[in-house]
Amino acid sequence: MSARICVCLSVFKARAVLRSPSTSVSVSVSARVSVRVLPHGHAHHVPPAFVTVHDQGDGVHLVDRCLSGLGIANSPQPQDQIHVIFVGCSVMRLMHSSFDFLLRKANVTNVRTSLVDIRRGLFRTLPHMKSRLNNFTKTYPDERRFVVFNTGLHDIDRLCSGRMWAARERDQELMNQTLPAGEPCITTYRRQFQEMVRFIGNYPAELKVFRSTTPGWMKYGNFGFSWPTDFTQPFQRSQHMVTQINEIAFDVLANADNADDVLIMDGFWTSLARPDNTEMGPRNQIGKHMVHPGVEVMDALARKFMHIMVRSTCSEALDS
């Protein structure tokens, strides 16, 4: 079996004119975004008056166009309710927030979103994740579900980092389980991710997308913060470890019996290219800079997923 890879482009306001001696073609996509450049190369997002996802520059939100084309915009019928579910850790929380911001600009009222928070890694949160997702199907059996999921950064930190041994001990006590003695942390991650994929692969949803893990612990350039000269960075907390985790996830998806319909959406390369755009905490903490992408990156990921949803549901909204 092999997982399908979906490559999607972010949408920003731009116009390209392609000319030849006999033809002139104009292509336009738009999304109103305002950016201010700060010192040290930091790009900080200035909240715009409004942000919309337009199709062909006609001022109609892409989600409005999609659901209107299907004849279900603002429908009160249970089978026409759209539920977008984000499953992941703190980076997925940021993506969920960015997606909600885009969605609020649409006029439709029959789309809702949920976040299933699995911070602290799968070893501790997998039963909670299953319970939350099962509760959705019991409470709203007829709704149309769209799922994007990821797990990686917290698994690396809880399972692999030498600095988190005390947290590992607490997790084992809390879950009344013992991690296999001598098992490499990446083997533990593979086993737990396989269980996650088995569950989501069988979950009743129209769309299931795995977003690859974003490259946490980048310190290229130390944009916006100062790296202490006596502070070491172990391999387990580097983007190189994230690369290894993503390779494991891709292999699991490619060989899972029930993952044929799980798409793969890039999160790694989209954020690796922007060490200058990371989250800034109230005290400019190093940790937030190193593991949380900034607003521009999260906006791009939210737009990618929105376009994957529309493409899978009503392609004519993008092609007409």
Side-chain angles (χ1 to χ4, degrees):
M1 301 291 184
S2 61
R4 292 184 291 160
I5 299 178
C6 180
V7 180
C8 301
L9 299 176
S10 310
V11 181
F12 302 96
K13 189 169 186 179
R15 176 173 294 275
V17 180
L18 310 178
R19 299 182 185 277
S20 71
S22 58
T23 63
S24 176
V25 180
S26 176
V27 180
S28 175
V29 294
S30 74
R32 293 171 174 80
V33 178
S34 177
V35 177
R36 177 178 49 170
V37 179
L38 298 180
H40 311 296
H42 238 71
H44 178 66
H45 209 267
V46 180
F50 56 95
V51 173
T52 54
V53 182
H54 290 191
D55 179 61
Q56 296 193 353
D58 61 1
V60 179
H61 195 287
L62 193 56
V63 174
D64 289 327
R65 175 181 290 276
C66 174
L67 298 190
S68 294
L70 295 174
I72 63 171
N74 302 316
S75 169
Q77 299 302 317
Q79 67 271 20
D80 295 332
Q81 304 309 301
I82 308 295
H83 189 185
V84 188
I85 306 171
F86 295 77
V87 181
C89 62
S90 51
V91 176
M92 188 63 79
R93 171 178 54 81
L94 295 172
M95 181 175 165
H96 172 236
S97 177
S98 294
F99 186 92
D100 266 356
F101 183 79
L102 293 174
L103 187 60
R104 283 200 301 270
K105 310 308 172 182
N107 294 317
V108 293
T109 58
N110 56 324
V111 181
R112 70 186 185 101
T113 69
S114 295
L115 172 67
V116 178
D117 192 342
I118 55 173
R119 282 176 293 176
R120 301 184 180 89
L122 283 179
F123 178 76
R124 181 163 168 176
T125 62
L126 191 57
H128 163 74
M129 181 207 78
K130 292 180 179 179
S131 177
R132 283 287 311 279
L133 291 175
N134 282 333
N135 186 58
F136 292 146
T137 62
K138 292 177 183 177
T139 308
Y140 305 99
D142 298 322
E143 69 180 4
R144 302 174 64 173
R145 285 173 287 273
F146 298 77
V147 179
V148 57
F149 67 101
N150 169 267
T151 185
L153 289 179
H154 282 251
D155 299 278
I156 293 173
D157 213 26
R158 305 294 279 208
L159 296 173
C160 302
S161 175
R163 296 171 179 171
M164 297 294 286
W165 67 268
R168 279 193 293 277
E169 294 297 318
R170 289 195 301 271
D171 288 349
Q172 291 176 84
E173 288 182 16
L174 180 67
M175 302 304 295
N176 196 27
Q177 295 183 40
T178 303
L179 289 167
E183 181 177 72
C185 63
I186 57 176
T187 302
T188 305
Y189 172 79
R190 177 184 289 273
R191 176 166 45 80
Q192 293 174 344
F193 186 68
Q194 285 172 332
E195 185 175 351
M196 182 186 199
V197 169
R198 277 194 296 270
F199 182 84
I200 292 182
N202 290 319
Y203 190 68
E206 292 186 27
L207 178 69
K208 305 162 192 176
V209 177
F210 171 72
R211 194 215 70 217
S212 62
T213 300
T214 53
W217 304 290
M218 297 186 293
K219 71 187 191 77
Y220 295 138
N222 296 345
F223 288 95
F225 68 98
S226 176
W227 184 267
T229 56
D230 61 346
F231 191 47
T232 59
Q233 181 182 14
F235 174 81
Q236 293 90 342
R237 286 187 172 182
S238 73
Q239 73 271 12
H240 308 295
M241 188 66 177
V242 177
T243 299
Q244 177 71 11
I245 288 292
N246 276 329
E247 289 299 324
I248 291 172
F250 297 154
D251 183 64
V252 168
L253 287 165
N255 291 284
D257 292 334
N258 60 350
D260 280 355
D261 295 326
V262 177
L263 303 181
I264 296 176
M265 168 186 158
D266 171 61
F268 183 82
W269 296 106
T270 304
S271 47
L272 183 67
R274 295 301 307 274
D276 63 313
N277 189 254
T278 54
E279 185 180 15
M280 292 177 281
R283 296 187 303 278
N284 208 30
Q285 303 98 311
I286 291 177
K288 287 185 180 293
H289 276 289
M290 298 192 74
V291 298
H292 289 170
V295 174
E296 293 176 28
V297 176
M298 299 317 303
D299 181 69
L301 293 177
R303 290 173 186 275
K304 282 185 182 182
F305 182 57
M306 184 173 285
H307 276 71
I308 294 172
M309 282 184 57
V310 172
R311 176 63 71 186
S312 71
T313 307
C314 46
S315 289
E316 60 278 3
L318 291 170
D319 298 334
S320 60

